[in-house]
Amino acid sequence: MRGRPSSIDHEQVILKAQRVFWEKGFGATSLGDLLKSTDMGSGSFYNCFKGGKKELFGKAIAQRREVFQQFKAVLDNSESPVQKIRDFFGSIAEADHDTHMRGCIIANAVTEMAFLDPELEKEAADILLEVEQMFAGAIRREQLAGTIANPAPPEVLARYLITVWNGLNVTRRVHTDKVVLRELIDLQLSVIS
């Protein structure tokens, strides 16, 4: 005998749970928080996510990896990858207050997981490293085209951009004013002008 067919939309469950993790962090998110946000019972939850909260968190950050991969495709096909990178950073300045308070789930995860779960920390850190490589490729192309004058190695500039990204995701919680954030972003991104 077969059981009832599942009517659970896994992608929607992951996105709903992701929002809770993004707002509260992994450690502060309870099973009750996840069940409430996803409208699931505990039986259904553990049937879908046998690894429980950790598995769901892993899937939530993996979803962000997919978003970054989509952005990589945009960069790879862009006539002006530097402008796309500027727009990427500019989205911080344009975000609403709630988004400012959440910061970046990947940067948050690297920080939180450092002493909590090395496996999840590595998953999140690997995503930042992939974004760094993506930036390095775009910067290299722009340097070869002569649109970036800075002669620093692309890998160094990309690492700098990741450092700026991580810093801005903390600073945006302090300075939520769009003009202030835009000034900071413009100054920081002057290295790829």
Side-chain angles (χ1 to χ4, degrees):
M1 240 168 103
R2 296 179 85 185
R4 287 186 304 170
S6 175
S7 62
I8 297 170
D9 182 339
H10 285 79
E11 188 165 330
Q12 283 304 308
V13 167
I14 291 166
L15 290 172
K16 288 175 181 178
Q18 182 186 84
R19 182 163 180 97
V20 177
F21 286 130
W22 210 327
E23 290 173 357
K24 298 182 92 171
F26 178 81
T29 298
S30 69
L31 176 61
D33 294 329
L34 294 172
L35 297 178
K36 182 178 177 184
S37 71
T38 60
D39 297 320
M40 295 177 80
S42 60
S44 295
F45 178 84
Y46 283 109
N47 190 40
C48 289
F49 306 103
K50 294 187 180 9
K53 181 171 101 167
K54 179 176 177 175
E55 179 184 341
L56 183 53
F57 186 79
K59 290 180 182 292
I61 61 175
Q63 187 277 339
R64 298 310 300 162
R65 173 179 268 137
E66 291 173 21
V67 171
F68 286 126
Q69 287 301 317
Q70 292 167 3
F71 181 66
K72 182 181 185 309
V74 169
L75 270 185
D76 289 346
N77 295 309
S78 175
E79 295 283 324
S80 178
V82 166
Q83 187 55 51
K84 295 295 181 194
I85 291 172
R86 288 182 175 286
D87 294 345
F88 179 78
F89 278 86
S91 69
I92 289 178
E94 299 308 314
D96 61 37
H97 183 266
D98 288 344
T99 303
H100 286 312
M101 293 301 107
R102 285 194 308 269
C104 171
I105 192 172
I106 303 303
N108 295 349
V110 170
T111 304
E112 181 182 11
M113 295 300 160
F115 299 105
L116 193 59
D117 190 307
E119 186 180 328
L120 288 174
E121 177 194 15
K122 183 176 178 348
E123 284 181 46
D126 285 348
I127 294 170
L128 287 179
L129 291 171
E130 290 168 12
V131 174
E132 184 179 304
Q133 292 169 356
M134 172 179 63
F135 287 160
I139 290 166
R140 184 176 296 106
R141 284 195 321 273
E142 292 278 13
Q143 285 176 323
L144 291 172
T147 52
I148 292 180
N150 190 329
E155 296 77 16
V156 172
L157 292 172
R159 199 165 301 126
Y160 171 79
L161 291 179
I162 290 297
T163 303
V164 168
W165 177 260
N166 291 330
L168 284 170
N169 276 290
V170 173
T171 301
R172 72 196 294 188
R173 294 171 176 168
V174 177
H175 297 286
T176 59
D177 182 85
K178 292 179 182 195
V179 173
V180 170
L181 287 170
R182 176 56 70 188
E183 289 171 347
L184 288 171
I185 291 166
D186 289 345
L187 176 64
Q188 298 296 326
L189 296 187
S190 65
V191 301
I192 57 170
S193 294

